[in-house]
Amino acid sequence: MSRLHKAHVLLVLVTVVWGASFVLVKAALSDSTPLLLNALRMGLAAVVLAIYYRREWARLTVPVVRAGIPVGVFLFLGYALQTWGLTDTTPAKSAFLTGVSVVLVPVFMALFWRRLVKRWTAVGVALAFVGLYLLTVPLGALRDGIRFGDLLTLGCAVAFAFQIIYLGRATHRHRFEPIALLQLAVASVLMALAVPLLETPSVTWSSRVLWAIVVTGLASTAAAFSIQAWAQQFTPPTHTALIFSLEPVFAGLISFFFLGERLGGRGLLGAGLILAGVLLSELKGGAVEPAAPPGTPAEQAELEEA
């Protein structure tokens, strides 16, 4: 299996993990405020990666730090704006507006970096976007107009789009391990600072909260974002965003098996369109990506030794 195909498979597995974590997080939010739960899981993930990647500390040079900090900032903004937006919008709108990042990634790549996608990839993005709407937004859910929470959640989609783009750029220039560590360290610190500003923190240390922190901290944060950092060395940002559009599909399937929630005909059609968009992009599309610009001679030597 080529590194590109391996990267795509691993990104799908990451999306499965994120979809599965929905069940744990949903249960834990009855005993904890959202930002505090995020701060705890991100803090655990950052500590674990700091220990696991302790040999990478020596590689935290100024260029690496400059590349990693924006990734962490956008990761924090994505989660913070999504959580804040949920206070003034519906979960259905939040899920759909967050998924707008699928469209924003190729748009931003074209506007700011002059990177274009092939026709079939663009078709795949369009199918996934329509599928997200059908899967996450019930009939009539958008009739109440635009609320402040909707704008915050749209900002979350912008942040997640830039996180995907900047992570890809950073891992093309530097080793993925320090970038993965930096993004979670920065995001966890900013999240901890935001908790008292954006919510009144509260937690009941129930077993479901502890399980959510441990499982999401280790699996869907530390492991998942490390895998994403590795995989984005070999796959374009647009493909990454498309694969991530599968998250509500997996969340729906897992909710069906464990919580008895049903998608319905509209949801199934949406899930099918998302899957079709991803497959179309994988089989027929491909981003027009130039070769990654070389790093410093020292960084190239490190990569060759690895």
Side-chain angles (χ1 to χ4, degrees):
M1 181 184 293
S2 69
R3 291 186 301 182
L4 177 62
H5 291 150
K6 184 178 179 181
H8 287 178
V9 169
L10 287 175
L11 286 174
V12 171
L13 291 177
V14 165
T15 310
V16 173
V17 170
W18 284 341
S21 69
F22 169 80
V23 176
L24 285 173
V25 172
K26 185 175 182 178
L29 285 176
S30 61
D31 293 330
S32 173
T33 50
L35 283 179
L36 178 60
L37 187 65
N38 276 331
L40 291 170
R41 75 183 242 193
M42 285 184 174
L44 174 62
V47 170
V48 169
L49 287 189
I51 296 172
Y52 188 76
Y53 290 143
R54 58 190 179 277
R55 295 182 178 177
E56 299 296 325
W57 292 6
R59 294 191 171 99
L60 292 177
T61 60
V62 172
V64 172
V65 172
R66 284 177 178 170
I69 286 179
V71 184
V73 170
F74 284 119
L75 181 64
F76 155 73
L77 286 174
Y79 278 107
L81 289 171
Q82 183 184 54
T83 303
W84 191 10
L86 272 170
T87 62
D88 190 42
T89 191
T90 64
K93 276 188 174 182
S94 177
F96 172 65
L97 291 171
T98 300
V100 171
S101 60
V102 177
V103 177
L104 293 179
V105 168
V107 169
F108 290 160
M109 292 291 290
L111 285 177
F112 301 115
W113 288 279
R114 297 182 181 179
R115 308 284 177 86
L116 302 178
V117 295
K118 292 183 178 179
R119 177 181 58 187
W120 286 112
T121 299
V123 173
V125 168
L127 286 175
F129 180 72
V130 174
L132 278 167
Y133 176 80
L134 294 176
L135 177 61
T136 60
V137 181
L139 286 172
L142 300 182
R143 292 176 185 170
D144 57 347
I146 298 176
R147 303 177 63 89
F148 181 60
D150 300 332
L151 298 177
L152 291 173
T153 311
L154 188 58
C156 141
V158 172
F160 279 136
F162 277 119
Q163 185 265 343
I164 291 172
I165 294 171
Y166 273 94
L167 180 60
R169 291 172 61 81
T171 54
H172 275 110
R173 291 165 170 78
H174 310 287
R175 294 172 64 95
F176 79 91
E177 297 96 337
I179 298 298
L181 171 59
L182 273 169
Q183 75 161 334
L184 281 179
V186 170
S188 64
V189 169
L190 292 176
M191 189 66 72
L193 294 174
V195 169
L197 298 177
L198 299 181
E199 71 180 17
T200 302
S202 172
V203 62
T204 299
W205 295 104
S206 62
S207 59
R208 53 189 172 189
V209 167
L210 293 174
W211 273 111
I213 292 171
V214 172
V215 174
T216 62
L218 297 180
S220 59
T221 307
F225 285 115
S226 293
I227 291 171
Q228 182 193 358
W230 177 85
Q232 283 203 237
Q233 298 174 100
F234 314 111
T235 186
T238 300
H239 283 208
T240 301
L242 262 173
I243 292 171
F244 286 170
S245 71
L246 290 169
E247 182 182 351
V249 177
F250 292 127
L253 290 174
I254 292 166
S255 295
F256 170 75
F257 285 112
F258 290 96
L259 301 179
E261 297 180 355
R262 297 183 178 274
L263 291 177
R266 178 185 173 93
L268 289 173
L269 175 60
L273 287 175
I274 293 172
L275 183 59
V278 173
L279 290 176
L280 190 65
S281 176
E282 291 297 309
L283 297 176
K284 287 184 170 293
V288 182
E289 292 282 340
T296 65
E299 289 165 351
Q300 291 300 313
E302 287 176 357
L303 291 172
E304 289 172 2
E305 289 172 4

